[in-house]
Amino acid sequence: MARKIVLILALTCLCIGLAAADWNILNPIWNINARQDSLKNYCESWRINVELNNIREFDVVPQECVAHIKKYMTSSQYDADCQRAIEEVTLYLSRCCSLKGDGKDAWIFDVDDTLISTIPYFKKHGFGGEKVNSSSLEAWMEESKAPALDHTFKLFHDIKDRGMKIFLVSSRKETLRSPTVDNLINVGYHGWSRLFLRGFEDEYMHVEQYKSQVRKTLMDQGYRIWGIVGDQWSSLKGLPEAKRTFKLPNSIYYMS
């Protein structure tokens, strides 16, 4: 009987040892899976910290994370995250604004990756893994082929129908006015009050300073800016502030 017990214990220890071997850090299969999980976690953490504005002033997406960022920005999760942001705007609008009907209630939208998408361009240019070539990007913008973003398209028309004046504030150059207007109209946007683009005197300003200056101009004219929707922190930060700001996800590039 004692011999049987000893034999059973020995077999049990052997089986446990074999099972444990599957999880040994030196096991190649386990090690590959661990590296893959670690890289995924790292890249998702990098993306989240871009959205939180903890990571700033980056020129390119880390090379090891380009595939992860591309997968996110073309995924149903990106669409769901944008839609959730728009739902929060709609909720805010349902209770925020006592419009006076004097033509001075206003809302601001950014343009690129807020109303229209640059993802078709970045699909062909490294998806953030290459430093943005301004000349190449502007040549693409001149083609007026950027698609509308469905979530903000509906919001744009909802806000316009509420009687607010809509101002578009873009970091694009003034020289791109005609193709920008053509692009917006071609995909169904119309009825905005003014499109602000960067003149020659604005091109050397930081984007945040330029957009803050536009808000000051509007407020000095008596406009009440109930909200801003944009994909860059530089569209939302700075003084004077809007009553609320809403950021859409974008971890492909950073504009300061």
Side-chain angles (χ1 to χ4, degrees), residues 60-131:
V60 295
V61 173
Q63 288 300 311
E64 62 271 29
C65 295
V66 170
H68 181 84
I69 298 303
K70 179 179 181 179
K71 183 177 180 180
Y72 169 75
M73 292 294 294
T74 56
S75 71
S76 59
Q77 185 61 56
Y78 166 76
D79 292 336
D81 292 344
C82 289
Q83 188 57 46
R84 180 56 190 269
I86 298 308
E87 288 170 2
E88 291 300 316
V89 179
T90 302
L91 181 62
Y92 166 69
L93 286 168
S94 71
R95 63 192 183 195
C96 75
C97 316
S98 300
L99 305 186
K100 295 187 178 181
D102 58 358
K104 293 296 185 180
D105 295 297
W107 194 277
I108 291 176
F109 284 94
D110 190 6
V111 175
D112 289 305
D113 297 301
T114 297
L115 296 180
I116 54 179
S117 175
T118 65
I119 286 179
Y121 171 83
F122 284 104
K123 279 183 177 179
K124 298 179 180 180
H125 294 85
F127 234 99
E130 302 172 5
K131 191 170 182 178

Side-chain angles (χ1 to χ4, degrees), residues 42-43 65 127 132 147 154 210 229 233 251:
Y42 167 76
C43 292
C65 295
F127 234 99
V132 176
K154 295 174 183 176
Y210 154 69
V229 177
W233 283 102
S251 43

Side-chain angles (χ1 to χ4, degrees), residues 128-187:
E130 302 172 5
K131 191 170 182 178
V132 176
N133 183 316
S134 297
S135 298
S136 173
L137 179 57
E138 288 170 9
W140 179 82
M141 290 174 174
E142 287 175 351
E143 297 175 0
S144 303
K145 293 182 178 179
L149 288 165
D150 292 340
H151 38 272
T152 38
F153 181 84
K154 295 174 183 176
L155 178 67
F156 174 96
H157 289 289
D158 177 34
I159 291 176
K160 180 166 64 69
D161 292 344
R162 290 172 183 265
M164 289 191 192
K165 294 285 184 69
I166 292 180
F167 294 96
L168 310 183
V169 185
S170 174
S171 58
R172 290 188 178 198
K173 294 178 181 178
E174 180 62 40
T175 53
L176 290 167
R177 179 170 295 276
S178 291
T180 301
V181 170
D182 289 345
N183 198 155
L184 290 166
I185 291 174
N186 289 343
V187 296

Side-chain angles (χ1 to χ4, degrees), residues 197-224:
L197 300 175
R198 300 180 79 173
F200 179 76
E201 67 279 7
D202 304 320
E203 288 185 16
Y204 296 99
M205 283 186 187
H206 286 294
V207 174
E208 181 179 324
Q209 181 184 1
Y210 154 69
K211 294 194 172 186
S212 297
Q213 184 173 284
V214 170
R215 291 197 298 274
K216 183 177 187 306
T217 297
L218 291 173
M219 289 183 179
D220 287 346
Q221 294 172 1
Y223 286 101
R224 296 174 291 277

